[in-house]
Amino acid sequence: MSQNTAGRKIFFTDIDDTLLNTDKTLSDKNREALDHFLELDHILCMSTGRALNGASALLKRLDLYGRKNVLISSFNGGLIYDTHEEKTLLRKTIPLDTVYRAFDLASDFGVHIQTYTDDAVVTQTDNHHLRKYLSIQKLEVVFTSDIRTFQMNPPVKLLSLDYDDPSHLTAFRDVLGERMNGELDCFNSNPNLLEIVPSGVNKGSSLHFLADYYHLPIENTISAGDAENDLPMIREAGIGCAMKNADDALKAVADYVTERDNNHGGVAEILDTFCFSQ
């Protein structure tokens, strides 16, 4: 990679309710801004809780996958992938024994839990929460009667979900944090989704990894998000931006809060303000 990094920036953007409209489309304003950003040889990283295959499929539909300097930081920073080189840059996994114990706790608590292979969701339970999630994320599912007998590599992420009563996830999060202290980190990507990742993995850690990888100072990083799982990259970026529609906790720590929400080109506003007017 080039060592001439003067002025080059990395933009880390969340996907859902940040880059995309609520209906999961990309606005013309945001598309034009991203195209211009990439034409200037800056680096674009889609920083998401989504699985890599789901995020990749989305970027293909948006005609972004495979373009130079377009990366995916999936599973909340656990797996970083260069879509142009089609190369994994970082992969952090959860030991299988820890996966098994988390599944046991979820079963005892009565919440849905799932994990991921490179190709599909893996779970022991079929229910309306899972089916809604699959319809949104466009992922395949594999069912197993016992996660311990399922042949898989250590995964990057676990996920618990509840579309009926998010407080159930909050209570489970407390139990999981107490029983798995130091082994796993838990946070919400929205009230219905509890992200469960290796300790120390988050969108902020992936921001630091890529800044080091491209030999860029943190001052050259910009981030945009709307939810709790975006907090680490908002705090850690040179310029952390919260969307107008973001959680109040995110706005409280952000360097900049957009005047436009995700449905009205908020990401384009960020790039116009901090990249194109410099």
Side-chain angles (χ1 to χ4, degrees), residues 12-274:
F12 296 82
T13 180
D14 176 55
I15 294 177
D16 299 296
D17 296 319
T18 298
L19 177 64
L20 297 186
N21 296 337
T22 303
D23 64 3
K24 307 302 181 184
T25 59
L26 180 64
S27 70
D28 290 341
K29 284 182 180 179
N30 283 349
R31 178 177 293 282
E32 290 168 6
L34 293 181
D35 286 343
H36 186 39
F37 182 80
L38 291 169
E39 287 167 1
L40 295 173
D41 198 38
H42 296 311
I43 302 157
L44 173 64
C45 181
M46 302 293 179
S47 188
T48 179
R50 290 179 181 232
L52 178 61
N53 55 341
S56 296
L58 174 65
L59 263 62
K60 288 173 182 176
R61 293 197 295 274
L62 300 177
D63 295 322
L64 287 168
Y65 184 95
R67 293 179 63 175
K68 184 182 178 184
N69 297 327
V70 175
L71 312 174
I72 299 171
S73 175
S74 61
F75 297 120
N76 292 294
L79 196 160
I80 302 176
Y81 188 77
D82 184 327
T83 72
H84 180 65
E85 299 290 337
E86 295 195 312
K87 179 173 70 173
T88 297
L89 306 183
L90 176 74
R91 186 184 187 101
K92 297 282 190 179
T93 59
I94 302 172
L96 288 176
D97 180 64
T98 304
V99 172
Y100 303 153
R101 288 188 288 123
F103 265 68
D104 289 344
L105 283 173
S107 178
D108 292 343
F109 201 81
V111 297
H112 175 85
I113 193 168
Q114 63 192 43
T115 189
Y116 301 80
T117 66
D118 288 344
D119 302 312
V121 171
V122 179
T123 185
Q124 296 177 155
T125 53
D126 189 3
N127 51 58
H128 69 281
H129 306 293
L130 171 66
R131 294 297 169 179
K132 181 173 181 178
Y133 173 85
L134 295 174
S135 70
I136 295 170
Q137 298 294 329
K138 311 301 182 187
L139 296 174
E140 299 296 322
V141 62
V142 176
F143 293 104
T144 178
S145 59
D146 186 347
I147 193 67
R148 286 176 169 79
T149 63
F150 185 77
Q151 296 298 309
M152 64 183 297
N153 294 319
V156 179
K157 185 183 90 165
L158 311 177
L159 184 75
S160 280
L161 46 147
D162 191 319
Y163 289 103
D164 296 335
D165 183 6
S167 67
H168 202 200
L169 290 181
T170 302
F172 178 58
R173 174 179 176 168
D174 292 340
V175 170
L176 197 64
E178 179 183 337
R179 301 284 184 88
M180 297 290 195
N181 185 35
E183 296 180 72
L184 297 171
D185 286 342
C186 307
F187 41 79
N188 288 87
S189 52
N190 70 50
N192 307 111
L193 305 178
L194 180 63
E195 311 279 343
I196 306 165
V197 298
S199 181
V201 168
N202 55 59
K203 293 187 178 186
S205 65
S206 68
L207 182 148
H208 280 278
F209 174 85
L210 284 175
D212 289 344
Y213 183 83
Y214 285 101
H215 306 289
L216 292 172
I218 291 298
E219 289 75 16
N220 288 34
T221 63
I222 305 166
S223 64
D226 71 291
E228 182 191 2
N229 65 324
D230 300 316
L231 270 168
M233 72 173 180
I234 301 302
R235 287 196 183 103
E236 298 299 322
I239 302 171
C241 304
M243 304 300 291
K244 180 181 180 179
N245 53 285
D247 295 345
D248 288 342
L250 211 67
K251 293 178 179 178
V253 302
D255 300 302
Y256 180 82
V257 178
T258 62
E259 295 180 4
R260 303 198 297 260
D261 64 18
N262 65 300
N263 291 314
H264 297 88
V267 161
E269 176 188 331
I270 292 167
L271 296 179
D272 288 342
T273 302
F274 297 108

